[in-house]
Amino acid sequence: MKKAGLWGLLWMVFISELQAENESKEEKFIKEGETLNVNCPFSTEKYSYSQKAWQKLIDGRKPVTLALTTSTSGNPSQVREGRYFLEDIPSEAILHVQMTNLQVEDSGLYRCVIYYPSKEPDVLSPLFHVVVIKDPLNTTASDENHTRKLQISTFPPTTTRAQGTLVDRPRTVTKLPPKSTADLSSPGFGVNITNVTDVTSYVFRESKREWERGRERETERKTQNSNQAPGSEMSAQSLMRGSNSQTMRS
């Protein structure tokens, strides 16, 4: 009995696979990221009040149900489960299926079925062999965008860290190119300054000139003092000689 049951199960699997091979297939070639739209016709007399499902067939495994309608009222209904959208239209005898944002790994064999919770489904023709193709143009564009991002990040803007007096955390200050300031004029010296660099040079030159003038005045004062010193010594010696001669006379 056990052997007969096992052979019967194997025979059923063989028959179902043979039926799948004999069923018509419709090829769908779609680029990665695009949307698949298919219509599955059904008999309104038999399946208007039945649940419908979208399934993916995987070799050696039970079909995977990706989306399932819930209405059995015979009225139009819709259901969305993630990237999968089903629209049951009994008045037109069509189950509309939509898959969005297809990826290469979505390639495979799909089918529409009349779903029964307690028994095998009725398969609606045709089966759909979906082949998702990677778009080489999108791949090249993404690589170029990645390269541009790397090039931009390689040359960051020059920044310096500045600590505010009233703010605890440091701020980032971006250096800006030097800008010309308003003309500064000095009527007394006849100087016309057009930018910050000239202002700094001008202040430095004036400070240096003032320091040189101070040194010249100090040198002149020392020279005058040194010239006056011999005359004072000679007058002191003359006084001493006069006092000595008076002493001798007395």
Side-chain angles (χ1 to χ4, degrees):
M1 292 294 293
K2 291 183 179 180
K3 289 183 178 181
L6 180 60
W7 279 109
L9 180 60
L10 292 175
W11 178 254
M12 290 178 61
V13 172
F14 173 75
I15 292 297
S16 61
E17 291 181 354
L18 183 62
Q19 290 176 347
E21 289 292 333
N22 293 330
E23 289 177 353
S24 61
K25 296 180 183 179
E26 186 174 331
E27 301 285 344
K28 294 288 184 180
F29 295 90
I30 300 180
K31 291 182 181 180
E32 189 176 33
E34 293 185 350
T35 299
L36 170 71
N37 288 283
V38 297
N39 292 322
C40 299
F42 59 85
S43 172
T44 56
E45 295 179 359
K46 293 178 62 176
Y47 303 127
S48 292
Y49 299 93
S50 301
Q51 289 180 272
K52 286 87 175 175
W54 177 246
Q55 294 181 337
K56 183 176 183 179
L57 303 177
I58 302 175
D59 292 339
R61 294 173 56 185
K62 185 178 179 180
V64 178
T65 300
L66 304 173
L68 174 68
T69 64
T70 58
S71 176
T72 57
S73 64
N75 297 321
S77 62
Q78 298 178 353
V79 62
R80 181 179 295 276
E81 297 183 14
R83 297 185 297 128
Y84 309 101
F85 173 76
L86 301 183
E87 184 177 13
D88 185 8
I89 313 174
S91 60
E92 299 180 10
I94 286 177
L95 175 66
H96 177 69
V97 181
Q98 184 181 83
M99 287 178 60
T100 61
N101 192 24
L102 288 171
Q103 303 299 312
V104 175
E105 54 268 22
D106 291 325
S107 299
L109 193 62
Y110 294 83
R111 69 183 184 180
C112 295
V113 298
I114 302 300
Y115 181 82
Y116 302 106
S118 58
K119 67 176 184 178
E120 289 297 313
D122 293 339
V123 180
L124 302 177
S125 295
L127 301 180
F128 298 95
H129 184 211
V130 179
V131 179
V132 183
I133 305 171
K134 184 177 287 292
D135 189 355
L137 296 179
N138 292 338
T139 304
T140 304
S142 62
D143 292 341
E144 290 179 355
N145 292 334
H146 182 66
T147 304
R148 291 176 183 175
K149 289 180 180 179
L150 290 177
Q151 291 176 349
I152 293 173
S153 61
T154 305
F155 303 98
T158 304
T159 58
T160 56
R161 309 290 291 183
Q163 180 70 36
T165 55
L166 298 179
V167 182
D168 294 335
R169 63 176 184 273
R171 297 175 299 170
T172 301
V173 180
T174 302
K175 291 183 178 180
L176 298 176
K179 296 183 179 180
S180 299
T181 59
D183 290 346
L184 302 177
S185 60
S186 176
F189 296 97
V191 179
N192 186 30
I193 303 168
T194 58
N195 52 47
V196 175
T197 304
D198 291 342
V199 171
T200 305
S201 301
Y202 169 73
V203 173
F204 177 76
R205 289 196 302 270
E206 290 300 318
S207 301
K208 184 177 180 182
R209 290 174 183 173
E210 187 64 26
W211 179 76
E212 291 176 350
R213 294 192 191 100
R215 287 194 61 184
E216 291 176 357
R217 289 195 293 268
E218 183 66 22
T219 303
E220 291 177 357
R221 186 164 51 251
K222 289 181 179 181
T223 303
Q224 291 176 359
N225 292 337
S226 62
N227 291 335
Q228 291 176 358
S232 60
E233 291 180 359
M234 291 178 63
S235 59
Q237 292 177 0
S238 300
L239 291 174
M240 290 180 64
R241 289 175 183 173
S243 61
N244 291 334
S245 61
Q246 288 178 1
T247 302
M248 292 178 65
R249 288 175 185 176
S250 58

